[in-house]
Amino acid sequence: MGNVWSYYAGDSDAFDKAACLPTGDACTAFCTLFRRSAAKVVLQQEASGLTSAREQVLLTLENWISEASVLYDQQSEFPVMVTMQEELRFEAGDASHHTPLEGGVPASLEENILKGLCSNPLSTPDSIFKIMVQLGKSLRGDEFLRVVGKYPRAARMFASQQLVARSDVCNSYKMSVLKGDYSQAAAVVGKAAYGDSVLETKRSRLKEAFKLLQASMDTSSLSITSTLSLSATELHKLSSSRSADSFDQVMTNAMLELIETQRSMERTLSLPAGLLVGSSLVETVQKLVTLHPLHRQALVLAVDCVETYCIPPRQFWWTLLRVLARTDQWETLLALAGAIRPPIGYVPIIEVMLDEDKQNLARILLDAIQDRDEREQVAALLAEDQENDQEPRQLDTL
């Protein structure tokens, strides 16, 4: 969902999304006023025929840097484009047939050695790899994955090797399911979904991730008897794990809802499939604002996104300022900022205008400022900028 959700610390295992959102009435009131302003701006621009930013918009969209490229810039991280022989599927019945976590008597000499190496902090990855090779000669398929999955250090090494060397996530996913670590399995499916550009596959994988997270919460629920047998540290660890699963599940469901919204917007604006689908919430708003010179309805749809998903007005305006300045939509920025006072105030907008040598627009916006203190701040910025512009010319005449 992007950086709308940057932090969450709940008091219970179940994540309450509504409790973490800004007040609905305030967000709705802001969107109502902004939508009216946006509609007026659209009518004025259609009447004047402004198309100065059209080429810039096309160039921006052609060279758009997706959030996936920014967030996952290391070779060893997801999302990666992998060729899957079969989709990552999970059946609810599998939740009752998994291998217990590390413990018990190893069934073979190789497993006993693997257990000892994994528990020894001085053992080398090479030694663990060699014993896994030996283990793989005697065990095949799911049996091998069950044994390796019992030991976290070996499981992490195996999963990393499969991903880097073979671009394979299927075995890592299956190993997590077999050992009952449905939260990790959901992470694998979710990351694979995030890196996929095909709508149906992305939607299907997100649904699988949702089911896996539900299975993780179901299998980690405790009865009164089992609760009494756990220490305070163990209970806290379990509660934290369930809270994380609940949060991830709510966000997965929200992403599924966002995908449907994005697809509907693509149809409304007659956009190529995939231009919006798969983007985060904030990135979706950024693209819609960028599209404003080409599709006048895009700005209104951006406001609809803000209202539907309760994006804080300040965050929306920071996004608006960044995108409009980057795509040279200065007339739109001036009109929107002049119609109603932005939640971020006028000073940041004036600073951006001055940085981009738009002094004339800054002076026009100064006339729209009603607050006396803010007007004085902006006037001081304009005066300082004018002095800085005059200094080089004075030096040249000496």
Side-chain angles (χ1 to χ4, degrees), residues 86-154:
E86 57 181 347
E87 270 302 317
L88 308 178
R89 301 291 184 187
F90 173 72
E91 300 297 335
D94 296 342
S96 59
H97 304 288
H98 62 79
T99 303
L101 298 179
E102 183 176 356
V105 179
S108 65
L109 175 62
E110 290 83 0
E111 183 182 348
N112 193 31
I113 296 174
L114 178 64
K115 179 180 179 180
L117 290 173
C118 290
S119 61
N120 183 2
L122 299 179
S123 62
T124 63
D126 184 61
S127 61
I128 296 176
F129 171 74
K130 288 180 179 179
I131 195 62
M132 282 199 296
V133 171
Q134 293 297 320
L135 191 64
K137 293 179 180 179
S138 57
L139 298 177
R140 299 292 180 184
D142 290 356
E143 288 303 317
F144 172 78
L145 295 175
R146 281 193 177 94
V147 172
V148 174
K150 289 165 61 176
Y151 309 103
R153 189 177 174 188

Side-chain angles (χ1 to χ4, degrees), residues 120-362:
N120 183 2
L122 299 179
S123 62
T124 63
D126 184 61
S127 61
I128 296 176
F129 171 74
K130 288 180 179 179
I131 195 62
M132 282 199 296
V133 171
Q134 293 297 320
L135 191 64
K137 293 179 180 179
S138 57
L139 298 177
R140 299 292 180 184
D142 290 356
E143 288 303 317
F144 172 78
L145 295 175
R146 281 193 177 94
V147 172
V148 174
K150 289 165 61 176
Y151 309 103
R153 189 177 174 188
R156 288 193 300 270
M157 179 183 295
F158 176 77
S160 177
Q161 289 174 339
Q162 292 293 300
L163 177 61
V164 174
R166 301 175 56 190
S167 293
D168 175 32
V169 297
C170 294
N171 280 322
S172 302
Y173 165 77
K174 187 179 292 186
M175 182 171 59
S176 297
V177 172
L178 289 172
K179 70 176 182 178
D181 191 353
Y182 303 116
S183 180
Q184 176 60 28
V188 172
V189 181
K191 289 176 181 178
Y194 192 55
D196 197 285
S197 58
V198 180
L199 173 61
E200 291 303 324
T201 310
K202 182 185 290 289
R203 183 191 289 136
S204 174
R205 290 175 182 173
L206 286 172
K207 289 180 179 179
E208 292 299 316
F210 184 90
K211 289 195 300 183
L212 284 160
L213 289 166
Q214 185 61 52
S216 180
M217 296 186 67
D218 291 342
T219 55
S220 61
S221 60
L222 294 174
S223 63
I224 297 177
T225 305
S226 56
T227 301
L228 295 175
S229 64
L230 296 177
S231 65
T233 302
E234 291 172 329
L235 284 173
H236 175 72
K237 183 178 179 180
L238 181 62
S239 178
S240 298
S241 175
R242 287 177 58 81
S243 294
D245 286 342
S246 176
F247 175 80
D248 290 342
Q249 188 182 44
V250 171
M251 290 298 102
T252 300
N253 188 58
M255 190 64 206
L256 284 166
E257 293 176 0
L258 179 61
I259 285 176
E260 298 305 322
T261 301
Q262 291 168 335
R263 189 68 193 102
S264 175
M265 289 179 173
E266 286 181 347
R267 294 193 186 100
T268 300
L269 299 176
S270 300
L271 299 175
L275 184 62
L276 298 179
V277 170
S279 303
S280 71
L281 177 57
V282 172
E283 193 175 16
T284 300
V285 174
Q286 290 175 343
K287 288 183 177 180
L288 288 171
V289 175
T290 302
L291 284 164
H292 171 64
L294 301 181
H295 301 277
R296 297 304 186 188
Q297 194 178 355
L299 186 58
V300 177
L301 291 178
V303 183
D304 292 342
C305 253
V306 172
E307 185 172 16
T308 301
Y309 295 98
C310 295
I311 299 177
R314 284 179 58 85
Q315 183 178 12
F316 171 62
W317 249 102
W318 279 116
T319 301
L320 197 65
L321 174 59
R322 187 182 305 113
V323 175
L324 292 177
R326 187 176 62 196
T327 55
D328 286 334
Q329 298 186 57
W330 296 105
E331 296 88 352
T332 302
L333 176 60
L334 179 63
L336 292 173
I340 184 172
R341 184 183 184 277
I344 61 175
Y346 287 104
V347 172
I349 300 174
I350 294 294
E351 289 176 338
V352 170
M353 287 180 171
L354 295 179
D355 288 342
E356 298 296 329
D357 296 327
K358 302 294 180 181
Q359 287 82 359
N360 292 335
L361 295 179

